[in-house]
Amino acid sequence: MSRGKFITLEGGEGAGKSTQTTLLANFLRNEGLDVVQTREVGGAPSAEVLRDVWLDKKEGYWDPITEIFLIMAARREHLVKTVFPALARGAWVVSDRFVDSTRAYQGIGLGLGLDKVDKSYDLIAPGFEPDLTLLLDLPVNVGLARMASRGGHDDRYQQKKSDFHEKLREAYLTLARKYDSRFRIIDASMGQSAVTAALENAVRERFRL
Ligand code: TMP
């Protein structure tokens, strides 16, 4: 049995990642593959406990370095309990966010530095990176307007000013250049079905489905 593939979806707020993760997982199931759909922060019962602990408090409650360790602790649980066993049995894993979120949000956006993020990641998963990372990229004003129209959903960084979100967008584009062999940039300002088609094409092309 060959190892499965690990695909991650990344992007700022309002890019439609959650919906597209579900659609992509269904697309792969229709290709006859064994698929595990998951998310971060979370993706295993023990990791979801840590998600609640982390997201329950307003920004500023946790020391920023503590925050990196909370996220990495949740990530280790996610990897050991969900991702690694699935890949070992040959399943394909599709995750809504992974370590590039920590690189973009904590490392660059919040200014802690990529070095701290990469060092702590090296403790939990040395050398492990996704096979493919799909970056849903869109102008900040479009993403924030979509979030506002959705209403009710109060995530950690949605209240931040648009310059934080600009920094985040640039951070992701920088990561896409740094890891250009595994990143594909998808224009997420298109309509939902066009974005879905672009994601499917990227996956087909990368894995020759
Ligand atoms: P979600 O809205 O995609 O579920 O993510 C919840 C928030 O957590 C979102 O604002 C992004 C943030 N986040 C980080 O800051 N660092 C991380 O490593 C991850 C996975 C998420």
Side-chain angles (χ1 to χ4, degrees):
M1 171 63 68
S2 63
R3 175 192 172 280
K5 302 293 180 198
F6 185 40
I7 302 173
T8 58
L9 279 79
E10 292 284 356
E13 319 287 325
K17 271 182 303 77
S18 309
T19 308
Q20 294 296 347
T21 302
T22 301
L23 293 169
L24 186 61
N26 289 340
F27 163 75
L28 292 170
R29 281 188 192 105
N30 287 336
E31 294 286 315
L33 295 162
D34 177 6
V35 179
V36 172
Q37 181 185 342
T38 186
R39 70 161 181 187
E40 284 208 343
V41 179
S46 51
E48 292 287 336
V49 170
L50 290 171
R51 177 190 177 92
D52 292 343
V53 165
W54 178 55
L55 281 181
D56 186 47
K57 301 292 182 196
K58 292 232 174 320
E59 206 213 333
Y61 178 86
W62 299 107
D63 168 78
I65 300 291
T66 308
E67 205 157 65
I68 290 187
F69 281 106
L70 274 174
I71 293 169
M72 290 297 173
R75 180 159 299 133
R76 174 73 189 171
E77 288 295 303
H78 180 217
L79 286 169
V80 170
K81 310 262 169 80
T82 303
V83 178
F84 291 158
L87 293 176
R89 70 163 200 266
W92 288 42
V93 178
V94 184
S95 185
D96 178 353
R97 298 194 182 281
F98 190 60
V99 66
D100 296 305
S101 283
T102 322
R103 291 179 174 130
Y105 279 77
Q106 280 69 36
I108 303 177
L110 298 172
L112 295 177
L114 283 178
D115 189 47
K116 286 197 177 68
V117 174
D118 286 336
K119 273 188 181 144
S120 56
Y121 182 62
D122 195 51
L123 293 175
I124 64 153
F128 181 75
E129 295 286 343
D131 296 294
L132 175 64
T133 298
L134 300 159
L135 172 58
L136 299 188
D137 175 63
L138 83 172
V140 167
N141 58 344
V142 179
L144 293 182
R146 281 191 193 167
M147 287 314 311
S149 69
R150 236 178 269 168
H153 189 65
D154 186 23
D155 254 339
R156 192 163 202 76
Y157 300 116
Q158 277 160 26
Q159 304 310 321
K160 277 202 172 284
K161 295 205 167 54
S162 63
D163 55 350
F164 172 79
H165 296 282
E166 291 290 357
K167 204 167 167 189
L168 197 56
R169 184 183 187 198
E170 276 313 309
Y172 270 121
L173 292 170
T174 301
L175 292 172
R177 281 190 293 274
K178 180 171 178 184
Y179 301 103
D180 62 343
S181 60
R182 72 173 163 90
F183 261 85
R184 297 290 179 278
I185 301 172
I186 306 293
D187 176 4
S189 65
M190 302 184 291
Q192 185 180 298
S193 54
V195 174
T196 306
L199 290 170
E200 291 174 3
N201 279 339
V203 172
R204 275 191 200 286
E205 191 204 333
R206 169 68 180 78
F207 300 110
R208 300 182 198 288
L209 289 177

